[in-house]
Amino acid sequence: MKRILFISAIAALMLSACGAGAATQVASYRDVVGPSAGGAAPMEAPAAESFAADAAVPGGNPQSAAVARLVIQNANLSIVVVDVKTRIQAITKMAEEMGGFVVSSNVYQAYASNGATVPEANLVIRIPEAKLDEALAEIKADTVEVQDESRSGQDVTAEYVDLQSRLKNLEAAEAQLTKILEQAETTEDVLNVFNQLTSIREQIEVVKGQIKYYEESAALSAITIRIISQETIQPIKIGPWTPKGAISDAIQDLVYFWQSFVEFFIFVILNFLPKLLLIALVYGLPLWLIIRAVQNYRSKRKGTQTPPAPTKAKK
C-alpha cells in the first residue's frame, strides 16, 4: 500500500509539472529574430512580477494585472554610399559605442554600369532596443540614397509569461521530488525518483534557455544593412560620335586581320606542311610505285602479242 502511494505521488508531481508547459508552443530562435548573437553578454532580465498575467486581490476575485509588453524589434536597411569599406568601419564603431556588436559581415564584389567591379556588403548588427531609433538615424546619415527601409516587431509577452509559469511549476516539482528521494527506502524507489528528477531538471534547463533568449532578443534589436556602392547605380553615359574614332577603329581591325592571317600562314607552313610530306612519303610513294609497276607490266604484255594479218580486199 505504501509503495502504491509513493508511485502515485511521483506521477501526480510529473503531471502537474508537465501540464503547464503543454498548452503553449514557443517559437524557435531563428523564426523570431534571425541571425544568432552568439557570445553576447546577457542583458538585464525584466522583473518576473512585471509579466504576471493574473493577480489575486483581497476578497478572492481575480483581476487582470498590468502587463509589461515584451517586444522583439528588428530593422532592415539598404543604403547607397560613396565608400563601402569606410561605412562598414563607421557602423561597426557605432554599434560598439552603443553597447552592441556585429553579428555578421560579408563583403563581396558587384559590377558597376561600366563593367568595373566595386565592393558591396551585407552587415548585421545588434543594438540595445532603447537606442534603435538613434542607430537607424546615424546609419542613414551622410548616405547618397536610402533604397529600402523596414521595421518589424514581435510581441512575445504571452510566450514569456507561459515560460515563467512553466518554470515555476517545474521547480516546485523538483523540490518535491528531492524530498521524496530523501525519504525513499528501497533501491527501486530511489532509481524511479532519480529518473523523474533528471527529466524535470532537463526541462528546467530548456525553459531557462528559452526565457534567456526572449530577454536578450527583446533587449538587443537586430539591424540588417545592405551597403551598396554609388558606382553601381550610376547611369550609362554615351559620349558624342566622331568619325576620327571610327576610322582609327577600322584601321586597327585591319591590322589585326593581317596579323592574324600572317600568323595562320606561318602556322600552316611550319606545322602542317612537314606532316603532309611525311604522310606522302609513307603512304603515297609505295602506292605510286605499285601503280607504276602495274602500268609497266601491262605495256610489256601488249608488246609481245602478234598483230593480226591484214585482209586483202576482193576485186
Side-chain angles (χ1 to χ4, degrees):
M1 185 67 181
K2 186 177 180 181
R3 176 67 59 80
I4 295 174
L5 292 175
F6 185 78
I7 296 175
S8 300
I10 296 176
L13 285 173
M14 292 299 298
L15 290 174
S16 62
C18 298
T24 303
Q25 296 294 331
V26 181
S28 66
Y29 179 84
R30 293 186 181 276
D31 292 336
V32 176
V33 75
S36 172
M43 302 298 293
E44 182 181 356
E49 292 79 9
S50 302
F51 298 94
D54 297 303
V57 296
N61 295 325
Q63 179 179 343
S64 177
V67 177
R69 313 310 300 177
L70 192 67
V71 180
I72 299 173
Q73 297 192 42
N74 300 318
N76 292 274
L77 284 173
S78 293
I79 58 175
V80 180
V81 299
V82 177
D83 191 339
V84 173
K85 295 183 178 180
T86 302
R87 181 49 63 97
I88 292 174
Q89 296 174 357
I91 294 175
T92 301
K93 183 179 179 181
M94 176 206 70
E96 294 174 352
E97 291 176 350
M98 289 186 175
F101 56 92
V102 176
V103 177
S104 64
S105 177
N106 180 26
V107 181
Y108 52 93
Q109 296 295 327
Y111 291 93
S113 57
N114 58 0
T117 57
V118 293
E120 195 166 305
N122 285 325
L123 193 65
V124 181
I125 63 174
R126 283 195 172 275
I127 297 293
E129 186 272 336
K131 297 182 180 181
L132 179 58
D133 293 332
E134 180 184 352
L136 291 175
E138 189 167 341
I139 292 171
K140 292 185 290 184
D142 299 328
T143 59
V144 177
E145 180 184 356
V146 178
Q147 288 190 342
D148 180 61
E149 180 180 1
S150 62
R151 186 168 173 174
S152 62
Q154 182 178 5
D155 190 345
V156 294
T157 307
E159 290 87 345
Y160 186 85
V161 171
D162 289 340
L163 286 172
Q164 292 279 10
S165 177
R166 183 180 176 188
L167 178 61
K168 183 178 179 181
N169 291 334
L170 289 170
E171 288 177 342
E174 180 188 20
Q176 292 296 327
L177 285 171
T178 302
K179 292 180 180 179
I180 294 173
L181 182 62
E182 294 173 354
Q183 299 173 0
E185 297 177 356
T186 65
T187 303
E188 183 180 359
D189 292 340
V190 171
L191 290 176
N192 288 334
V193 178
F194 180 78
N195 291 334
Q196 300 297 337
L197 189 59
T198 302
S199 176
I200 289 292
R201 286 173 178 170
E202 288 177 355
Q203 295 180 53
I204 288 174
E205 292 301 319
V206 171
V207 172
K208 284 183 177 179
Q210 292 171 335
I211 290 174
K212 182 179 179 182
Y213 155 69
Y214 279 131
E215 291 172 350
E216 293 183 354
S217 297
L220 291 170
S221 297
I223 306 177
T224 303
I225 311 155
R226 182 187 176 195
I227 306 176
I228 305 168
S229 175
Q230 182 182 11
E231 299 178 20
T232 306
I233 62 172
Q234 291 293 334
I236 299 175
K237 295 181 180 181
I238 302 176
W241 177 82
T242 56
K244 181 179 178 181
I247 293 172
S248 62
D249 291 342
I251 294 174
Q252 187 67 42
D253 290 341
L254 182 61
V255 171
Y256 287 153
F257 168 76
W258 281 109
Q259 180 180 352
S260 300
F261 178 77
V262 172
E263 290 176 354
F264 174 76
F265 183 73
I266 295 172
F267 179 78
V268 170
I269 293 176
L270 297 180
N271 188 28
F272 286 100
L273 188 59
K275 294 178 182 179
L276 292 175
L277 292 175
L278 180 60
I279 293 172
L281 290 174
V282 174
Y283 296 101
L285 182 60
L287 182 61
W288 179 80
L289 292 174
I290 293 172
I291 295 174
R292 185 71 176 172
V294 171
Q295 290 177 348
N296 292 335
Y297 174 75
R298 290 180 177 177
S299 299
K300 291 179 180 179
R301 188 175 180 182
K302 288 181 180 180
T304 56
Q305 291 179 356
T306 303
T311 55
K312 295 181 178 181
K314 294 181 180 181
K315 294 182 180 180

